[in-house]
Amino acid sequence: MARPKSDDRRAALLNAATKVFAERGLAAPTALISSEAKVSEGSFFTYFKTKDELINALYRDIRLQVADAVMPGFPRRAGIRERLEHIWSRYVMWGVENPLTRQALRLVSMSHVITPETRAEGAVIFAEVDRIELDAREQKRLQLPQHMAAHALKALAEMTMDLISQRPQEADQLRALGFQMLWGALSSKP
């Protein structure tokens, strides 16, 4: 009879994959991930049939971590600027506090092995972000084309996270300035 799967062992593999991918890239071997998790390589394949399956699971897991960091206290009834600033501030601080996870997310997000189903699951998690964009478009407050708004947010957030990591004593000021740049780029009205 096969031994039941352990949530702790699965979590250890995901944590190890986060660290290994962030440090070595997605080409890192599963043996290295297993070793980092302190499990046999055979155990790895008990939890994930393929490396692609692990990458999809890691993408889901990190997106949930981001949602857990960003969504508490989300001001659903506030204006567009306040809702966007809430997400911005929480996302930037999550990235600063979790540099390895941030790097791993950057890598797995670009991976061609992430399935459309996995990407769709990730999109559901951030429905409130989509709602902000829809509200902004309805109110004619968004000046960038749809495909550029999310990329602008991501690029400016990455820049702000990098700067805060270099100058942690200026975190509040840099986060506020980064948001001011984002709002200026996105909004057609102050």
Side-chain angles (χ1 to χ4, degrees):
M1 177 181 229
R3 201 167 45 166
K5 291 182 182 178
S6 159
D7 288 340
D8 290 341
R9 197 169 278 183
R10 185 179 191 282
L13 284 163
L14 289 170
N15 290 335
T18 298
K19 182 176 188 289
V20 169
F21 288 156
E23 293 173 350
R24 305 282 288 281
L26 295 182
T30 57
L32 187 57
I33 296 166
S34 299
S35 175
E36 180 69 32
K38 298 179 179 27
V39 302
S40 70
E41 194 164 8
S43 287
F44 174 95
F45 290 106
T46 299
Y47 291 88
F48 305 102
K49 291 180 181 119
T50 65
K51 187 175 178 183
D52 290 357
E53 187 178 306
L54 166 71
I55 292 170
N56 277 272
L58 185 60
Y59 177 82
R60 269 188 228 100
D61 185 67
I62 295 173
R63 297 276 295 186
L64 286 170
Q65 289 177 45
V66 172
D68 287 346
V70 168
M71 295 315 295
F74 181 72
R76 282 183 176 82
R77 298 187 189 279
I80 294 166
R81 183 183 176 114
E82 293 80 13
R83 289 182 286 159
L84 185 60
E85 190 166 15
H86 174 92
I87 288 170
W88 166 268
S89 294
R90 299 273 181 120
Y91 176 60
V92 166
M93 291 319 297
W94 172 85
V96 170
E97 293 166 2
N98 299 281
L100 285 177
T101 309
R102 174 181 154 219
Q103 175 62 12
L105 178 59
R106 184 182 304 138
L107 292 171
V108 298
S109 293
M110 293 185 295
S111 173
H112 68 280
V113 304
I114 301 296
T115 66
E117 296 80 21
T118 299
R119 288 201 191 277
E121 288 172 24
V124 169
I125 295 168
F126 293 94
E128 291 292 350
V129 177
D130 293 339
R131 182 77 243 164
I132 293 170
E133 185 174 346
L134 287 172
D135 290 350
R137 290 200 185 285
E138 285 174 6
Q139 296 174 26
K140 299 189 183 345
R141 293 192 59 139
L142 196 58
Q143 65 184 10
L144 289 178
Q146 185 171 357
H147 62 279
M148 287 187 73
H151 290 286
L153 187 147
K154 186 176 178 183
L156 286 169
E158 290 288 334
M159 176 200 72
T160 303
M161 291 173 199
D162 289 342
L163 289 171
I164 291 172
S165 294
Q166 296 166 11
R167 300 168 176 243
Q169 69 280 7
E170 299 174 30
D172 291 339
Q173 179 184 11
L174 291 168
R175 190 174 55 244
L177 287 170
F179 181 75
Q180 186 178 354
M181 289 174 68
L182 175 68
W183 186 250
L186 295 179
S187 178
S188 60
K189 297 178 185 177

